[in-house]
Amino acid sequence: MKKILTMLLFAMTMAMPAAAQNAKKILDKTAAVVGSKGGASASFNISGGKLSATNGTISIKGNMFHAKTPAAVIWFDGKTSWTYMKNTEEVNVSNPTASQLASMNPYSFINLYKNGYNYTAKEEGSNYEVHLTATGTKNIQEMYITVNKTTYVPSMVRMRQGKNWTTIKISNFKTADIPNATFRFNSKDYPKAEIIDLR
């Protein structure tokens, strides 16, 4: 009996690094698809968490993104974020934290997973489900990412901040050649907007 238990433990120990390696390969391939050099765009639907449910479209390129929802428009050029609130015609300018970016950008996981997370993967029909858990103190302690086995395009991201879970469903993903100016606020397009600098 001891021999069998020892062999089982050994087999499990050997399998764990392989599962982590497989999960990393899946995330690396997904990051390569999502992080297409010219850029990409998609539709999204966010529910749960502290924010009210919303939907919209997003364009991404590298660590830059531009999102539109019924209530707001967000630009992020890799450092600075501009958030235009339609009901007040205000533009809040800030340098967001990683957790703030995660709540604004459905694709933030493509950079997050590389540092401070353990991961495993399992097959769910035509998809992989990758489970990430933080190894230390992180604003996002846990994350599930559903990725298509063939295309490596993600269709859903679930993340936990404290006790709150946020679910982001992603659809209509396509690669595109997006100019860098797309990710910066242009005051000429919003002449009546009041700019509030929060940096």
Side-chain angles (χ1 to χ4, degrees):
M1 188 68 183
K2 273 188 179 178
K3 277 187 179 178
I4 293 168
L5 280 172
T6 307
M7 285 171 71
L8 276 170
L9 283 169
F10 178 74
M12 285 168 68
T13 309
M14 292 303 288
M16 282 170 75
Q21 258 186 336
N22 187 38
K24 187 176 186 311
K25 280 182 185 174
I26 293 165
L27 290 172
D28 285 344
K29 285 182 179 180
T30 303
V33 170
V34 172
S36 169
K37 209 170 186 180
S41 63
S43 301
F44 66 87
N45 182 290
I46 300 176
S47 60
K50 292 178 182 177
L51 303 172
S52 55
T54 190
N55 57 64
T57 58
I58 187 165
S59 300
I60 57 169
K61 186 177 182 180
N63 63 346
M64 303 184 289
F65 72 91
H66 174 51
K68 289 181 182 179
T69 71
V73 183
I74 303 167
W75 298 260
F76 179 68
D77 67 358
K79 182 186 175 187
T80 304
S81 169
W82 297 264
T83 303
Y84 173 69
M85 305 305 294
K86 293 180 181 178
N87 62 339
T88 59
E89 290 202 77
E90 291 176 351
V91 177
N92 292 320
V93 187
S94 65
N95 293 331
T97 64
S99 64
Q100 288 169 332
L101 284 173
S103 66
M104 294 188 284
N105 180 2
Y107 291 118
S108 60
F109 74 86
I110 65 170
N111 295 313
L112 278 180
Y113 81 91
K114 294 172 184 174
N115 291 301
Y117 287 91
N118 288 328
Y119 20 74
T120 57
K122 64 179 181 179
E123 295 186 22
E124 294 276 347
S126 60
N127 296 313
Y128 294 115
E129 184 184 72
V130 183
H131 182 206
L132 289 82
T133 49
T135 54
T137 305
K138 294 270 185 185
N139 286 318
I140 298 169
Q141 292 100 357
E142 199 174 356
M143 200 181 299
Y144 289 91
I145 303 163
T146 304
V147 178
N148 184 281
K149 283 185 194 173
T150 309
T151 62
Y152 289 92
V153 170
S155 58
M156 188 163 68
V157 179
R158 287 180 63 231
M159 56 187 169
R160 180 173 63 85
Q161 293 175 279
K163 293 180 181 177
N164 297 306
W165 282 93
T166 302
T167 300
I168 304 168
K169 293 179 181 175
I170 302 160
S171 58
N172 304 319
F173 177 88
K174 57 187 175 191
T175 55
D177 196 9
I178 304 169
N180 289 349
T182 304
F183 308 100
R184 293 188 200 100
F185 172 73
N186 187 342
S187 57
K188 289 177 184 175
D189 296 333
Y190 300 86
K192 294 180 181 177
E194 180 189 352
I195 297 170
I196 301 165
D197 199 327
L198 304 172
R199 290 171 291 183

